[in-house]
Amino acid sequence: MRLSKKMRQSRLVQSFQENPFLTDEEVAKQCQVSIQTIRLDRMELGIPEMRERLKHMAEKSFDEVRSLSPEEVIGEVVSLELDQSGVSVLEISEDHVFERNQIARGHYLFAQANSLAVAIVNADLVLTRSAAIRFVRPVKLGEKCIAHAKVVQKQPSRFQVDVETKVLDDMVFQGVFDVYRATN
Amino acid sequence: MRLSKKMRQSRLVQSFQENPFLTDEEVAKQCQVSIQTIRLDRMELGIPEMRERLKHMAEKSFDEVRSLSPEEVIGEVVSLELDQSGVSVLEISEDHVFERNQIARGHYLFAQANSLAVAIVNADLVLTRSAAIRFVRPVKLGEKCIAHAKVVQKQPSRFQVDVETKVLDDMVFQGVFDVYRATN
DNA sequence: ACTAATTTAGTACTTGGTACTAGAATGTGG
DNA sequence: CCACATTCTAGTACCAAGTACTAAATTAGT
């Protein structure tokens, strides 16, 4: 036996958790068992098939986008008007701060802004070419960062996206992103 | 004719925009045309099939901020001469890339560089004030990014740190960080 | 009326599955 | 060691929602 059933199943749960895009075939290969075994496992564990998982996620994010009223949304949600503007909210948790002083590491604010700048552009493969950013003031544990992004220049495959992140009415981060639609 | 082609197509674009979960069959029924017509329309308009649409949405929401939690240290610092220079290595793993195309998300490269720029400065509390960065070329899954940082300007409480990240001899990222020693 | 554009029909094939049956391999208890 | 149970594998038929392609029918425009 390669791995006990229980072992495999708990590994499986985790795998799907951290990458819901996996097909049974891929997991089967990873676990060195047949595809049927994986399917039996999914049945037992009540894990739906990949397409259902994705559909579920899509639904979730879709609903969220629909019902976005900035003050009630907590977490990592984004509202998007493709090629125009978007909003994302990030609440600073333990994971985001320097232990020593409870101040958010800059790259989390950057990540929020960068993700948003990329998400806003309506194309398959969008990458950041360059950015100029400013951390206006430190952000502390527990603060809720609301990033507003706006496309300010649109060329066939290049976009300039400005992002401003605020905590309440306090500007904390400012960035100008030059993103492009890549051909891959 | 029920509706002109153009009419139908623009209606179609809107339909899919406001409900990406629609199948061709459903839309065909709505428009009173055959399923093939809808498919031709999708081809012409470059609208992907339903499953792809959902996958795409799932990816966007998934990519969002999950990215932000796991690692305490981004990249491994392999050498450090305080207030002078440092090197850190980051190997791009599954966790760092867009599922779709295996290209690293920009904010990981940024995080590596930012962490290094902050680590290099010999003080208790160091924060980034601003940065100008350039993603020179996309980085793919499995590539090992080596970031070299150098302090190029030193004032009592302000430092300018230049970071260059390479894969082998290939420059992939460049950044100028303005960091400061905070009093807190 | 004739040609071009548009629409429909139909076939073969693909992905990532479900549902089900049956046999093989491996354990485990007596 | 045998018997039975658990676990795993294999294989078939089928489905949804497509792609890719060919060909015919319909409609529009002039």
Side-chain angles (χ1 to χ4, degrees), chain A residues 66-84:
Chain A
R66 272 180 158 167
S67 69
L68 185 100
S69 56
E71 70 279 350
E72 60 143 358
V73 181
I74 300 187
E76 60 225 41
V77 187
V78 188
S79 97
L80 290 178
E81 258 194 286
L82 289 174
D83 286 346
Q84 300 210 19

Side-chain angles (χ1 to χ4, degrees), chain A residues 2 5 8 33-34 36-37:
Chain A
R2 293 143 270 251
K5 194 181 177 185
R8 189 189 55 237
V33 297
S34 77
Q36 278 84 352
T37 303

Side-chain angles (χ1 to χ4, degrees), chain A residues 146-161:
Chain A
I146 302 181
H148 285 260
K150 213 186 328 174
V151 174
V152 296
Q153 240 189 69
K154 213 188 311 187
Q155 281 165 354
S157 68
R158 278 184 75 162
F159 298 77
Q160 189 190 314
V161 183

